[in-house]
Amino acid sequence: MFNLILFGPPGSGKGTQSDNIVAKYGLVHLSTGNLLREEIAQKTPLGIEAKSFMDKGQLVPDEVVIGMVDSYFEKHKNAVGFLFDGFPRTLAQAKALDSLLELKKNEIAAVLALEVSEEELVKRLLNRGITSGRSDDINEDVIRKRFAVYSNETKPVAEHYKKLKKYHSIKGEGTVQEIFNFICEAIDKKLNLM
Ligand code: B4P
């Protein structure tokens, strides 16, 4: 299996680039954000609980997210690899993911981290709020709260993978195609070393 994490702050383009990556490399896309939004749309108990956190710009509790990832794995037993998008977002999630993969005698090949300035991120998210109506993108205070959560809870995930020498920075500003080219370069380099 070839497993990648696409990492970066809210609005850095993880969802956008994931579509291109899975189309080119045949990986299974695991976006915790998309899975949570599906639960919300179906008004499941998990979705109703998740919405109350997401609308405030907070993270959904680890045990909820990890349980969801575990059952997604079960549904995709024959995957050639996974692209993790928006997961892990806390150190506890990263450690849970490492253990789940270890059980399958597998590991993360690389963490690709999209680097984008905060000013550009706010612009993108407010713009998406207008076009998609996503409730966590409409209010600038909620967006700023998500950045604070990212700094406090998600940045330690970067440190974890830096120590394991799996972390690669990618320039996340430019056109979608330019950024995709940087991502492909990093992936192809990794694949050639395997
Ligand atoms: P996510 O769904 O993961 O979304 P995101 O971080 O807001 O955005 P992403 O980086 O995917 O941005 P996108 O490509 O869409 O999370 C939403 C919420 O779910 C979280 O706040 C949290 O509450 C919860 N959640 C999710 N996972 C969780 C977890 N593991 N644990 C706990 N809670 C969790 O791009 C954004 C915009 O920019 C788009 O409009 C796009 O068109 C535009 N864009 C993209 N690339 C561009 C470019 N190169 N130039 C200009 N615009 C660009």
Side-chain angles (χ1 to χ4, degrees):
M1 270 171 106
F2 183 68
N3 299 304
L4 292 173
I5 294 174
L6 193 58
F7 190 79
S12 53
K14 301 184 296 288
T16 306
Q17 295 297 340
S18 287
D19 293 341
N20 296 332
I21 299 170
V22 296
K24 177 160 178 185
Y25 295 96
L27 302 175
V28 172
H29 184 198
L30 195 166
S31 157
T32 42
N34 287 352
L35 292 176
L36 290 166
R37 281 185 289 277
E38 277 165 27
E39 298 279 345
I40 293 173
Q42 289 165 18
K43 298 194 169 59
T44 64
L46 191 158
I48 292 164
E49 188 193 352
K51 188 171 179 358
S52 66
F53 291 96
M54 290 164 77
D55 281 354
K56 286 186 252 161
Q58 294 168 351
L59 294 181
V60 175
D62 285 336
E63 59 276 16
V64 174
V65 175
I66 293 164
M68 212 172 59
V69 169
D70 203 11
S71 57
Y72 197 80
F73 270 158
E74 286 305 307
K75 280 191 213 139
H76 295 88
K77 282 192 169 135
N78 298 323
V80 295
F82 287 92
L83 175 69
F84 298 101
D85 158 11
F87 176 85
R89 259 180 159 95
T90 63
L91 204 49
Q93 291 181 16
K95 289 185 175 165
L97 176 62
D98 291 348
S99 310
L100 279 173
L101 290 174
E102 211 176 303
L103 280 177
K104 296 173 201 301
K105 307 225 177 314
N106 243 291
E107 60 177 351
I108 293 297
V111 177
L112 307 178
L114 295 169
E115 310 285 351
V116 182
S117 70
E118 191 163 318
E119 193 192 346
E120 168 74 11
L121 293 172
V122 175
K123 212 167 68 191
R124 286 185 192 179
L125 291 173
L126 285 173
N127 196 31
R128 184 171 64 184
I130 297 166
T131 52
S132 75
R134 244 178 76 169
S135 52
D136 55 346
D137 287 341
I138 292 167
N139 181 322
E140 191 165 335
D141 289 342
V142 172
I143 291 175
R144 299 267 175 208
K145 166 80 186 159
R146 285 156 68 194
F147 293 151
V149 167
Y150 176 78
S151 257
N152 296 331
E153 300 184 49
T154 307
K155 278 213 174 133
V157 174
E159 295 310 313
H160 173 72
Y161 288 108
K162 275 179 192 167
K163 276 189 208 140
L164 297 173
K165 304 218 178 328
K166 292 178 191 278
Y167 187 90
H168 305 267
S169 283
I170 307 273
K171 183 169 176 271
E173 290 189 43
T175 66
V176 170
Q177 185 59 45
E178 280 164 355
I179 298 162
F180 183 53
N181 291 344
F182 295 140
I183 291 174
C184 292
E185 256 174 53
I187 296 177
D188 293 342
K189 215 188 243 174
K190 199 80 212 173
L191 282 170
N192 287 333
L193 291 174
M194 289 180 84

